[in-house]
């Protein structure tokens, strides 16, 4: 199934609860939550208190994207405050397998994310262990950037890598996805789509419906 995960980084935090409801009511299945520490990426977004607050107003699947150095320091805490999927960056830790095992030990789904310059091959040792691979389609750190065209081949390569092993691991894409280019990522094999500006810029309900409409068009060919 194709899944839409709107990124709240592009939301208006003054009315965040209301905007999340709008996205959820229009049919978004996940909520993408970008945590940035100012070290692994240049910017700082938000942290645990924010995640706890929104957990109280929504039952949607929390898809937490940790753009933080040494994510192993915070796995338990994000699990406790309501993350359902915890995705960390391969580049940010020396102990990816341990991180995956700890996420699983807490009953959560584990994702590994790779930046545009990290070869897809680098995640091969973890195929079969992770629930989701996040192929970044922009340099992580900021919303509102343009999709990097070379990402398409990387998504294909990842889909082939999983297929060769008989795995149908989720492949998530994040960065610069719009209703006009999403078919490119879907055709290449992505099935979990993050979109920030394309969802929270303008009428959220309409934007979600349009994106789900693009998914449907892709599925029926
Ligand atoms: C970027 C974040 C993204 C970002 C996407 O580092 O990981 O999730 O919010 O925003 P758009 O869809 O605007 O590129
Ligand atoms: Zn993200």
């Amino acid at each position: 199934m194709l899944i839409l995960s709107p990124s709240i980084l592009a939301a208006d935090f003054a009315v965040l609860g209301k905007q999340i409801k709008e996205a959820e009511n229009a049919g978004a299945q996940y909520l993408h939550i970008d945590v940035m520490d100012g070290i692994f990426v240049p910017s700082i977004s938000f942290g645990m208190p924010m995640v706890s607050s929104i957990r109280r107003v929504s039952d949607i699947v929390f898809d937490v994207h940790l753009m933080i150095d040494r994510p192993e320091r915070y796995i338990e805490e994000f699990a406790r405050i309501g993350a359902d999927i915890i995705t960390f960056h391969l580049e940010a830790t020396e102990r990816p397998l341990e991180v995956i095992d700890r996420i699983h030990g807490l009953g959560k789904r584990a994702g590994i994310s790779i930046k545009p310059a990290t070869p897809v091959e680098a995640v091969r040792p973890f195929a079969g262990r992770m629930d989701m691979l996040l192929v970044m389609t922009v340099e992580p750190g900021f919303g509102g950037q343009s999709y990097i065209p070379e990402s398409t081949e990387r998504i294909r390569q990842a889909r082939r890598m999983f297929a060769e092993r008989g795995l149908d691991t989720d492949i998530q894409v994040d960065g610069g996805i719009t209703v006009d280019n999403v078919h490119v990522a879907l055709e290449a094999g992505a099935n979990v789509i993050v979109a920030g500006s394309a969802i929270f810029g303008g009428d959220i309900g309409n934007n979600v419906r349009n994106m789900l409409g693009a998914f449907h068009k892709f599925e029926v060919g």
Side-chain angles (χ1 to χ4, degrees):
M1 190 174 75
L2 301 181
I3 286 168
L4 176 60
S5 189
S7 166
I8 56 168
L9 192 61
D12 178 350
F13 295 163
V15 285
L16 185 56
K18 180 173 158 281
Q19 295 201 342
I20 290 170
K21 279 287 155 209
E22 275 178 64
E24 199 176 340
N25 291 340
Q29 301 99 326
Y30 291 1
L31 194 69
H32 188 79
I33 301 174
D34 287 305
V35 179
M36 304 182 181
D37 67 352
I39 295 172
F40 181 71
V41 289
S43 194
I44 297 176
S45 56
F46 45 75
M48 294 81 172
M50 165 107 147
V51 179
S52 302
S53 294
I54 58 176
R55 184 75 286 179
R56 286 195 284 275
V57 301
S58 176
D59 292 327
I60 198 167
V61 173
F62 274 16
D63 162 32
V64 176
H65 177 192
L66 296 179
M67 283 167 274
I68 65 178
D69 184 47
R70 286 168 292 143
E72 54 271 21
R73 295 173 296 156
Y74 295 109
I75 300 304
E76 280 73 18
E77 196 159 358
F78 278 103
R80 184 177 56 79
I81 62 178
D84 297 295
I85 305 171
I86 301 177
T87 299
F88 63 94
H89 271 267
L90 186 62
E91 305 89 353
T93 179
E94 285 172 2
R95 302 186 291 211
L97 265 186
E98 181 194 315
V99 178
I100 293 175
D101 286 345
R102 274 172 48 197
I103 296 170
H104 284 155
L106 294 156
K108 310 296 178 184
R109 282 184 268 167
I112 294 185
S113 179
I114 49 172
K115 300 206 274 185
T118 301
V120 171
E121 276 302 312
V123 298
R124 187 180 287 275
F126 315 107
R129 301 290 288 274
M130 68 183 118
D131 301 290
M132 183 170 82
L133 173 65
L134 166 50
V135 178
M136 286 303 301
T137 48
V138 298
E139 204 54 59
F142 301 96
Q145 306 179 72
S146 301
Y147 180 88
I148 299 173
E150 289 76 21
S151 308
T152 310
E153 188 47 41
R154 291 164 53 73
I155 302 163
R156 260 192 216 112
Q157 202 187 330
R159 185 49 78 203
R160 268 198 310 270
M161 177 185 75
F162 290 127
E164 280 163 15
R165 300 265 316 260
L167 299 166
D168 67 345
T169 307
D170 287 329
I171 297 180
Q172 182 172 58
V173 286
D174 182 10
I177 304 289
T178 68
V179 73
D180 298 316
N181 69 8
V182 66
H183 65 279
V184 174
L186 295 174
E187 269 159 28
N191 67 307
V192 183
I193 306 298
V194 177
S197 341
I199 297 299
F200 289 100
D203 184 319
I204 298 166
N206 276 340
N207 290 340
V208 167
R209 283 185 287 273
N210 287 339
M211 192 63 89
L212 295 175
F215 288 5
H216 183 69
K217 224 164 101 188
F218 170 79
E219 282 174 314
V220 300

